[in-house]
Amino acid sequence: MELVEIVILAVVIALAAVGLVGGLVVGSRKKKLPPPPPSTPTITPPAEPKVGEEAETPRDEARRTIDEVGLPDATAPAEEAPVVETPAPPALEVPEPTDGRLVRLRARLARSQNSLGKGLLTLLSRDNLDEDTWEEIEDTLLTADVGVAPTQELVERLRERVRVLGTRTPEELRALLREELITLLGPDLDREVRTEGGAETPGVVMVVGVNGTGKTTTTGKLARVLVADGRSVVLGAADTFRAAAADQLQTWGERVGARTVRGPEGGDPASIAYDAVKEGIAEGADVVLVDTAGRLHTKTGLMDELGKVKRVVEKHGPLDEVLLVLDATTGQNGLVQARVFAEVVDITGIVLTKLDGTAKGGIVIAVQRELGVPVKLIGLGEGPDDLAPFEPGAFVDALIGD
């Protein structure tokens, strides 16, 4: 009996052990399972607003009356809008008055031209004026670009006056030479630049010349001369074949308040000249200055072009002035250019530029004799007011000195 009880007890213990181990395994498996997914929340849609009889009774809320609402102070300054600064237009320049301008520039002219006057006075002051001396006087005049015919005329007059005068003090010789040179320059010629125009049309001035002579610059400087005399000016940039010619002319005009009429580069010069005169009439301007192209590749093309510009401009009224710009430093070559332009258009006046450089003063006499028209303006430097009306007396005084 005792043996049977021991066996039963062992079996019970073994079953208990197996049950315990099985429970531990099942518990460990349950701990490793993932948590169940959360349940989807139930979203209740908002109730639709009710209208009419189903509308809810409004709730009482505190409301402010108009007396309780603060209003802005009427005396308080309003906020200013931001000011956008625009660039100020360039200040207009005030050109120098034209009266006496050549006298003010006399020293500059004398520095480059004194050799002619001093050379002649030195030769005329010799004790014995023989044939060799008179030949030297002729050579001096020819070297100064006076020209053959004017030189012979001047020498003959000087020889006659010196023979009659007898005694030759320095003062007498200077007065004699001054008088003869002024006579040779033609003191009675009309040197006024005509810009009067008609009753309802402005004066029209066409500026011609070879590119490189200072033609566009001279047109701009002439605008300053006219503004200084109280005239209103419109500029026509009809030189459409030279790059930046219109920009250059417009810059000159802006300095004195003159408007520039321009067109596309390479455009029709006659059309631009026509528009410039038309604008001048519309604005009531006193003068219209037309800067033209100066190409000398073929004389036929130049003649056709300038002739067309002239004809188109004259549809508005007569052309008052045609100014030919010549570079004084080119000497006799300038006379060749002058002859070509004289065949194309009727030149009424000459502008000599760069007369303060290496130019010879005698070119003034030569070009007048060649074309039969007066020198009306001369350029004596690069400054904006270095264009001066030509005055024979002041010019000769600069040549021979005091």
Side-chain angles (χ1 to χ4, degrees):
M1 280 299 290
E2 292 180 359
L3 179 60
V4 175
E5 294 177 355
I6 293 172
V7 173
I8 294 171
L9 178 62
V11 172
V12 173
I13 292 172
L15 291 174
V18 171
L20 178 62
V21 172
L24 292 174
V25 172
V26 174
S28 62
R29 288 181 179 177
K30 290 183 178 180
K31 290 180 180 178
K32 292 181 180 180
L33 293 176
S39 59
T40 303
T42 302
I43 300 176
T44 304
E48 295 182 358
K50 300 178 180 180
V51 296
E53 296 179 353
E54 298 180 354
E56 296 180 357
T57 304
R59 293 170 294 179
D60 293 334
E61 295 181 356
R63 299 177 182 269
R64 292 184 297 169
T65 63
I66 191 171
D67 296 331
E68 296 173 338
V69 177
L71 298 176
D73 188 359
T75 60
E79 294 184 4
E80 297 183 358
V83 178
V84 179
E85 296 184 0
T86 56
L92 296 182
E93 299 178 7
V94 180
E96 292 183 5
T98 56
D99 291 340
R101 185 179 285 190
L102 184 57
V103 175
R104 295 194 298 274
L105 299 172
R106 175 178 164 183
R108 184 178 302 169
L109 178 63
R111 284 196 296 270
S112 60
Q113 305 295 332
N114 250 351
S115 58
L116 171 61
K118 288 184 177 180
L120 291 176
L121 286 174
T122 300
L123 293 171
L124 290 171
S125 299
R126 289 182 180 177
D127 294 334
N128 182 22
L129 292 177
D130 54 14
E131 289 300 320
D132 292 338
T133 301
W134 286 112
E135 287 184 5
E136 289 186 50
I137 292 174
E138 284 188 3
D139 291 341
T140 300
L141 291 169
L142 290 173
T143 304
D145 288 333
V146 173
V148 176
T151 293
Q152 293 175 345
E153 180 181 329
L154 178 58
V155 169
E156 288 300 321
R157 289 183 181 178
L158 288 174
R159 293 184 73 159
E160 180 66 20
R161 295 286 297 274
V162 169
R163 185 183 64 81
V164 173
L165 183 63
T167 58
R168 302 187 305 278
T169 64
E171 292 77 13
E172 290 172 332
L173 287 174
R174 184 187 181 282
L176 172 64
L177 183 60
R178 182 181 188 275
E179 182 179 340
E180 292 299 331
L181 286 173
I182 290 177
T183 300
L184 204 60
L185 286 169
D188 297 331
L189 293 176
D190 181 11
R191 301 182 188 276
E192 182 181 0
V193 178
R194 295 191 295 272
T195 58
E196 294 303 320
E200 298 180 356
T201 57
V204 181
V205 179
M206 190 165 75
V207 184
V208 301
V210 178
N211 287 337
T213 59
K215 175 176 54 61
T216 300
T217 299
T218 297
T219 306
K221 290 183 178 182
L222 178 56
R224 296 179 67 91
V225 170
L226 295 171
V227 170
D229 290 339
R231 318 295 296 280
S232 58
V233 179
V234 170
L235 299 172
D239 185 356
T240 61
F241 297 95
R242 184 172 66 86
D247 292 336
Q248 182 183 359
L249 187 64
Q250 183 170 347
T251 299
W252 278 102
E254 289 174 348
R255 293 178 178 177
V256 292
R259 195 166 71 83
T260 301
V261 177
R262 54 187 296 178
E265 185 174 342
D268 181 18
S271 175
I272 296 172
Y274 181 87
D275 290 341
V277 178
K278 181 179 179 181
E279 291 294 329
I281 295 173
E283 295 182 8
D286 296 319
V287 186
V288 176
L289 301 179
V290 180
D291 177 32
T292 61
R295 299 167 300 144
L296 275 178
H297 302 311
T298 62
K299 188 169 69 174
T300 303
L302 177 66
M303 183 179 301
D304 293 342
E305 181 178 299
L306 290 182
K308 181 181 177 182
V309 172
K310 183 175 183 294
R311 291 192 303 273
V312 168
V313 167
E314 287 178 335
K315 290 182 178 180
H316 292 292
L319 190 62
D320 297 277
E321 193 87 63
V322 179
L323 296 177
L324 171 64
V325 180
L326 292 177
D327 183 342
T329 62
T330 60
Q332 296 298 316
N333 289 333
L335 297 182
V336 176
Q337 298 173 5
R339 283 193 289 268
V340 173
F341 278 93
E343 295 174 4
V344 175
V345 290
D346 296 327
I347 297 170
T348 59
I350 302 163
V351 182
L352 279 176
T353 63
K354 308 177 186 178
L355 201 56
D356 63 324
T358 60
K360 313 297 195 310
I363 191 64
V364 178
I365 299 171
V367 72
Q368 286 190 160
R369 288 296 184 92
E370 178 68 29
L371 300 181
V373 295
V375 172
K376 294 191 173 184
L377 298 162
I378 58 175
L380 296 170
E382 299 299 327
D385 293 319
D386 289 343
L387 184 71
F390 182 73
E391 304 167 20
F395 180 76
V396 170
D397 287 339
L399 288 181
I400 63 179
D402 295 327

